[in-house]
Amino acid sequence: MKLGSPFRPRLLSALLISIFLGSAPATPAQERGELRIATSYKLMTLDPQYANLNENTSLLSHIYERLVYQDENLELKPGLAKSWRPLSDTQWAFKLRDKVRFHDGSAFDADDVVYTIERIRDFLKPPSGGFRSYVSGIKSVSAPDPLTVLIETDGAVPNLPLFFSSIFVMNRPSEGFETTEDLNAGHPPNGTGPYRFESWSSGESLRLARNDDYWGGKPAWSKVTFRVIENPAARVAALSTGEVDVADAIPARDVASLKERGARVASVGAARVNFVQFDVARDTLPGVTDKSDEPIANPFKNPLVRRALALATDRGILVDKILAGYGTAAAQVFPNGLPGTSANLLPGAPNYDEAKMLLAKAGFPDGFNLVLAGPAGRYPGDAESLQAVAQSWARIGVNAQPAAAPFSVFNTKRAAGDYGVWYGGTSGEAVDIILHTLLASPDPERGTGALNFGKYRNEAFDAMLARAESIAVGPERNAALAQATELVMADQPIIPLYHFHHIVGYGSRIGSYVLHPRGWTTAMQTLPAME
């Protein structure tokens, strides 16, 4: 069982890095026709700024681009901005690339960046404002010339360039702001990316065509089709029979059989965490009862109960059995060794005796009943993880009934408050981004707590996180983030379970597939086989 192994990012060649910055230019021998990808990602919307979900980030990155890119080591690289620098504690200047064009032929310039920031900050409203936290600290944005963007912030935002590694740049319309409804209803997405939009069938497919005028070089594939196949076994079957060239989110249990059938597999540790999250706000919770199935007061308001359940969680089974070793047990939001993580937070083996003592001290010597909800088919081992966690908790008298559902159903029910405790997952550009969205107190004005569905609040943690975010990127900031993480994890608002490994399978038409710890699935990561 991998309990605390540090994250060791792989170094890639300059060619492979260029894939992530745009699209590796194709040579005649490499150029191919249609690339067929089976993906677990179900594109929710054609609005690139509506929801900060991996399915949207991954698929729409073919069409839209960011000012800044995060490479495979999570380091910042130039995207549509070729450089950036702070002018003062509250002012930044971004210099843009010249001769970049949108798919409709219009020139990209600083006005498009101004529009992008203002649309997210001033027009999109929660829950559609999934990116608002990245721009909430921006006081003003201006374009002194077509290739310069000046940004003034309300206070020091030393991590501002990192925020822009998550935001897609949109083309400014002739007037007003484009609505999400208009974008979904037929307004063709208009980005600067390596592929142009052809068609989209929600929940079924996304079809793209090569942008021959792409500033980063001619893409390798003339057409790209994403088939949404949410069932992992069906994705594996589609790859095995040659129906598709690439399949993402391969279950670890299927790796050996895929290799036996001639497919190749790539994997990388994920810059993300999967966890159990508690509703700590409401007085009573759906599905949480005593052993006689009578409603009880919300037990998760008591940190002793949360700690007891954490101590009773066997992460070793999750990593070794369910993930077949393609994962690392978690005690914090990022794998140990990445910037901002704490060397003091290490996952350990379960301690059922101590967990029982904590439950008794909290007033639940006999335990209680609950429904443990979660998605099925969205994350590697998600439904199986629900079963394994329930079995662990049963050893301390907490009877958990697993309730797995397709992610769209699960997400809707979670938002409606139908669950009291659930399994989830999130990824982010850096430790502070996840802390900011997952564990900070919900505050729409500050943009914090967007993923804090349990409504957890900790003023001391909020203050420590705010202090860490005010420090320039470097060792001091990393140490402050580690201290804030130690404080909040002692209160156990979530139970970190594991950092799974992204696993992608590919067939004979593919020469290589370059994985990124953020877990994107793109045509730009896929190089054709040489003839």
Side-chain angles (χ1 to χ4, degrees):
M1 171 176 145
K2 301 175 184 177
L3 287 180
S5 57
F7 179 84
R8 294 184 176 91
R10 299 176 299 169
L11 296 178
L12 303 179
S13 67
L15 170 62
L16 299 185
I17 291 174
S18 73
I19 294 172
F20 290 121
L21 295 179
S23 179
T27 65
Q30 287 178 308
E31 189 173 318
R32 293 294 185 272
E34 183 182 12
L35 173 67
R36 304 159 303 168
I37 300 178
T39 182
S40 60
Y41 289 145
K42 182 179 179 181
L43 184 62
M44 301 290 187
T45 175
L46 292 178
D47 185 340
Q49 299 165 356
Y50 180 82
N52 190 8
L53 295 170
N54 235 23
E55 47 265 66
N56 296 331
T57 299
S58 180
L59 299 182
L60 293 180
S61 67
H62 295 78
I63 302 169
Y64 296 96
E65 295 183 288
R66 311 167 181 87
L67 290 180
V68 181
Y69 177 77
Q70 245 186 334
D71 71 9
E72 79 290 348
N73 295 327
L74 303 186
E75 299 292 339
L76 298 182
K77 301 293 181 181
L80 289 176
K82 64 181 184 180
S83 65
W84 53 89
R85 64 187 179 94
L87 303 179
S88 69
D89 285 346
T90 59
Q91 290 183 317
W92 287 82
F94 288 77
K95 292 293 184 179
L96 308 182
R97 292 186 186 274
D98 195 7
K99 300 179 181 178
V100 174
R101 293 195 170 274
F102 287 93
H103 296 161
D104 67 356
S106 59
F108 160 71
D109 63 22
D111 281 340
D112 300 306
V113 179
V114 172
Y115 169 78
T116 290
I117 293 172
E118 291 179 342
R119 182 175 187 263
I120 296 172
R121 186 192 63 187
D122 305 330
F123 179 69
L124 293 178
K125 306 297 182 184
S128 60
F131 295 89
R132 176 175 286 188
S133 63
Y134 299 126
V135 299
S136 59
I138 294 178
K139 182 178 180 180
S140 65
V141 54
S142 60
D145 65 64
L147 297 178
T148 302
V149 177
L150 293 181
I151 294 175
E152 183 175 355
T153 58
D154 288 321
V157 186
N159 226 17
L160 187 66
L162 177 64
F163 293 167
F164 285 116
S165 70
S166 287
I167 295 173
F168 289 124
V169 176
M170 294 180 66
N171 183 221
R172 178 187 285 276
S174 57
E175 59 182 27
F177 293 104
E178 284 189 281
T179 68
T180 299
E181 291 73 21
D182 285 343
L183 288 167
N184 288 337
H187 286 202
N190 184 30
T192 60
Y195 290 92
R196 300 171 183 266
F197 174 82
E198 278 203 338
S199 66
W200 170 53
S201 179
S202 179
E204 295 181 10
S205 65
L206 174 67
R207 299 183 185 278
L208 307 166
R210 179 169 55 206
N211 176 13
D212 289 326
D213 298 323
Y214 180 56
W215 63 267
K218 188 177 180 181
W221 305 95
S222 61
K223 290 185 178 296
V224 179
T225 297
F226 284 90
R227 287 177 52 192
V228 179
I229 304 179
E230 294 187 89
N231 183 278
R235 286 196 302 278
V236 170
L239 178 61
S240 299
T241 60
E243 293 179 39
V244 298
D245 304 302
V246 176
D248 66 15
I250 297 295
R253 63 177 178 270
D254 292 317
V255 169
S257 62
L258 272 177
K259 289 181 176 179
E260 290 174 358
R261 284 176 268 179
R264 283 173 289 174
V265 172
S267 69
V268 69
R272 62 172 304 118
V273 65
N274 283 70
F275 52 85
V276 170
Q277 190 171 35
F278 304 101
D279 184 324
V280 300
R282 290 181 286 176
D283 292 332
T284 59
L285 298 174
V288 180
T289 67
D290 63 18
K291 291 299 183 69
S292 300
D293 288 329
E294 295 296 325
I296 58 175
N298 181 355
F300 308 129
K301 287 189 173 186
N302 191 329
L304 295 179
V305 173
R306 303 195 297 264
R307 292 173 197 157
L309 293 173
L311 281 170
T313 301
D314 190 343
R315 297 170 178 86
I317 290 178
L318 302 179
V319 170
D320 294 338
K321 303 299 183 183
I322 295 175
L323 299 181
Y326 284 91
T328 305
Q332 54 190 314
V333 297
F334 261 14
N336 292 48
L338 283 178
T341 57
S342 169
N344 299 321
L345 292 176
L346 299 173
N351 188 329
Y352 300 111
D353 290 336
E354 185 176 350
K356 289 179 181 179
M357 290 174 58
L358 289 177
L359 269 187
K361 188 175 181 180
F364 299 97
D366 299 322
F368 51 89
N369 299 337
L370 61 84
V371 173
L372 177 60
R378 177 171 176 81
Y379 308 112
D382 46 16
E384 297 93 334
S385 293
L386 292 181
Q387 297 284 347
V389 171
Q391 291 171 11
S392 290
W393 290 357
R395 297 186 60 170
I396 63 170
V398 175
N399 296 330
Q401 176 186 344
F407 178 71
S408 56
V409 175
F410 164 77
N411 200 35
T412 299
K413 288 190 172 184
R414 180 177 59 183
D418 290 353
Y419 304 135
V421 55
W422 55 89
Y423 163 102
T426 188
S427 63
E429 304 84 346
V431 163
D432 54 304
I433 300 296
I434 295 186
L435 295 176
H436 192 89
T437 58
L438 182 64
L439 297 175
S441 299
D443 186 335
E445 293 303 316
R446 292 178 55 234
T448 57
L451 299 181
N452 185 351
F453 300 113
K455 301 297 187 288
Y456 171 76
R457 294 182 180 276
N458 185 327
E459 292 183 2
F461 167 68
D462 291 340
M464 289 184 71
L465 179 60
R467 176 187 173 276
E469 292 178 322
S470 71
I471 302 171
V473 174
E476 184 182 354
R477 180 190 182 95
N478 292 338
L481 289 171
Q483 291 172 1
T485 301
E486 291 170 6
L487 175 76
V488 74
M489 291 315 305
D491 206 24
Q492 211 73 64
I494 63 170
I495 302 175
L497 298 178
Y498 52 75
H499 314 286
F500 67 70
H501 293 179
H502 297 297
I503 308 175
V504 170
Y506 55 97
S508 60
R509 296 180 67 233
I510 309 303
S512 64
Y513 187 90
V514 183
L515 276 161
H516 192 282
R518 294 287 304 280
W520 299 318
T521 302
T522 74
M524 294 81 80
Q525 296 163 249
T526 312
L527 290 180
M530 299 293 289
E531 291 182 347

